[in-house]
Amino acid sequence: MKLNVLILPGDGIGAEVTREAVKVLQRVAEKFHHQLTLTEGLLGGIAIHKTGTPLPQETIDRALAADATLMGAVGLPEFDQAPPEKRPEKGLLGIRKVLGVYANLRPVRSYKALLDSSPLKNALVDGTDMIIVRELTGGIYYGTPRGIYENGAETRAVNTMAYTRSEIERVARMAFHLARNRRKKVTSVDKSNVIETSQLWRRVVIEVAAEFPDVALDHLLVDNCAMQLILNPRRFDVLVTENMFGDILSDEGAVLAGSIGMLPSASIGDRKPSGAWVGLYEPVHGSAPDIAGQNKANPFGAIGSVAAMLEYSFGLKEEAAAVNRAVEAVLNSGRVTADLKPSGPPASTSEVGDAVVSAI
Ligand code: IPM
Ligand code: MG
């Protein structure tokens, strides 16, 4: 198969973790005889430095031409004071929108080898296996009006959380389809006791549920959900929620997995004529400027994102499983990065990548 992949390393540890993920992709292509074509592009702070904008047109063109895009991370501390429009993050939000990847799949599972890496009791996290489906191209991240307005003596900031029925329907359908191939349970998370977008969210999710009589649906308010994730994580199978709630809850999910460095994600849009999903694949973690350039970031989130790409964009289930098995083997070997609190000396980013490559 021809695999035409765009790599957007981005900022901070993004370049380090994508380097390892690319090695893994190359190994898979070699072993399973696929023809891999890689191109690289600029996104985020590095793109601002080189072109003056966080999402250059050339990156957009390359992403639209590629079969799938692998991204590292964006964000640099030097832009902390910049307005949202001029920040590296704007590039990430822009490419999500351009590709139309409205469903962000963030699997959260516990690994036996990492139970001690989580600050939570082993018995509580053991057996956790859920997918957070985060709506990715709507809600308060994109709503208008937005801005900071000087108004005489007072300053006022405004953001808008807006959802349409069709935006909710398509992401809800994605969640129910996923649940069908899992434990057949969807938990929809909202704040319908206070906000209207959540009331519409809940109403539409209930309507969509009628198309999936074999899948059970329940609802949680987001504040309660934050608590249930820690109290009883095994109760979750597929969790579907709007953009900002999903952003917040998935970082909480990272505690269950042992480290945010473990979490991969797949952002999926509609199917292409070929039947493949348009996809943007990125680890859940950020650019971690504090450890950038030190070869100590955990590359498993990026490597897991490669597995997700193989599965969703290319339908290569066997290849995806080979990557996930290799990750598990390396985890069991105990040669992992410092964030996973290994009993021996921590492995470097590139050592972990090399170990995964040789386990495939
Ligand atoms: C994430 C990140 C991004 C988001 C930031 C970097 C814009 O936190 O992917 O979870 O909020 O979506
Ligand atoms: Mg986040």
Side-chain angles (χ1 to χ4, degrees):
M1 189 170 179
K2 287 196 168 124
L3 316 179
N4 203 340
V5 177
L6 173 65
I7 311 292
L8 301 174
D11 305 321
I13 60 168
E16 295 159 61
V17 298
T18 47
R19 192 176 306 129
E20 302 315 311
V22 165
K23 281 189 206 165
V24 169
L25 195 53
Q26 283 167 331
R27 171 66 189 134
V28 167
E30 174 196 56
K31 173 158 178 172
F32 293 87
H33 309 294
H34 298 299
Q35 196 183 322
L36 179 64
T37 310
L38 295 172
T39 35
E40 209 175 288
L42 296 170
L43 182 76
I46 186 173
I48 300 180
H49 282 308
K50 296 203 172 160
T51 71
T53 154
L55 177 57
Q57 184 60 42
E58 191 170 15
T59 299
I60 296 177
D61 295 342
R62 286 184 190 179
L64 291 171
D67 298 325
T69 299
L70 177 69
M71 203 211 77
V74 296
L76 289 175
E78 64 197 84
F79 296 105
D80 279 355
Q81 305 311 320
E85 288 303 310
K86 299 215 154 64
R87 294 177 62 108
E89 289 82 354
K90 184 73 191 171
L92 177 54
L93 303 191
I95 196 158
R96 288 172 176 169
K97 196 73 169 179
V98 163
L99 291 176
V101 287
Y102 58 82
N104 179 216
L105 281 38
R106 300 188 156 185
V108 175
R109 50 164 297 200
S110 65
Y111 292 88
K112 291 271 184 226
L114 293 184
L115 288 179
D116 289 331
S117 306
S118 171
L120 301 170
K121 292 193 181 83
N122 291 3
L124 195 137
V125 278
D126 192 14
T128 297
D129 181 3
M130 72 181 86
I131 296 194
I132 298 179
V133 180
R134 168 188 176 193
E135 200 291 324
L136 200 63
T137 51
I140 200 163
Y141 274 52
Y142 296 93
T144 51
R146 64 184 296 158
I148 302 179
Y149 305 96
E150 305 294 341
N151 194 335
E154 192 50 295
T155 309
R156 191 162 175 267
V158 176
N159 287 98
T160 302
M161 188 189 279
Y163 271 105
T164 60
R165 168 180 290 276
S166 50
E167 283 174 322
I168 302 167
E169 270 174 10
R170 63 187 183 180
V171 72
R173 264 192 205 110
M174 181 79 79
F176 281 98
H177 277 295
L178 286 167
R180 248 188 191 159
N181 293 314
R182 297 174 46 94
R183 301 194 308 278
K184 298 192 168 46
K185 181 177 174 192
V186 169
T187 299
S188 172
V189 177
D190 62 41
K191 189 70 185 173
S192 59
N193 54 344
V194 181
I195 57 181
E196 283 79 2
T197 42
S198 280
Q199 286 171 351
L200 180 64
W201 181 277
R202 192 175 284 215
R203 200 194 306 157
V204 173
V205 170
I206 290 171
E207 284 170 19
V208 171
E211 300 165 22
F212 300 85
D214 52 323
V215 178
L217 169 67
D218 69 349
H219 305 272
L220 284 180
L221 297 173
V222 63
D223 49 350
N224 184 26
C225 178
M227 188 167 68
Q228 296 306 325
L229 271 173
I230 299 296
L231 284 178
N232 187 11
R234 282 189 295 265
R235 84 179 285 298
F236 294 96
D237 180 14
V238 176
L239 186 168
V240 64
T241 191
E242 68 88 38
N243 202 344
M244 185 167 61
F245 296 163
D247 177 46
I248 297 169
L249 294 175
S250 56
D251 268 34
E252 194 186 0
V255 180
L256 302 163
S259 161
I260 194 157
M262 291 306 298
L263 298 197
S265 93
S267 304
I268 310 282
D270 286 323
R271 277 181 195 271
K272 294 186 177 181
S274 65
W277 299 100
V278 174
L280 171 68
Y281 300 84
E282 41 170 317
V284 171
H285 64 71
S287 57
D290 53 323
I291 58 161
Q294 298 173 39
N295 198 22
K296 61 189 201 189
N298 182 346
F300 282 129
I303 293 170
S305 301
V306 162
M309 172 189 293
L310 291 166
E311 177 166 351
Y312 296 117
S313 279
F314 299 115
L316 299 172
K317 288 198 171 18
E318 199 188 323
E319 286 81 343
V323 173
N324 288 328
R325 271 198 309 275
V327 165
E328 200 121 19
V330 175
L331 283 175
N332 290 334
S333 79
R335 293 287 292 138
V336 294
T337 45
D339 57 312
L340 297 176
K341 305 185 184 66
S343 47
S348 68
T349 311
S350 46
E351 280 167 346
V352 172
D354 290 342
V356 175
V357 165
S358 39
I360 296 176

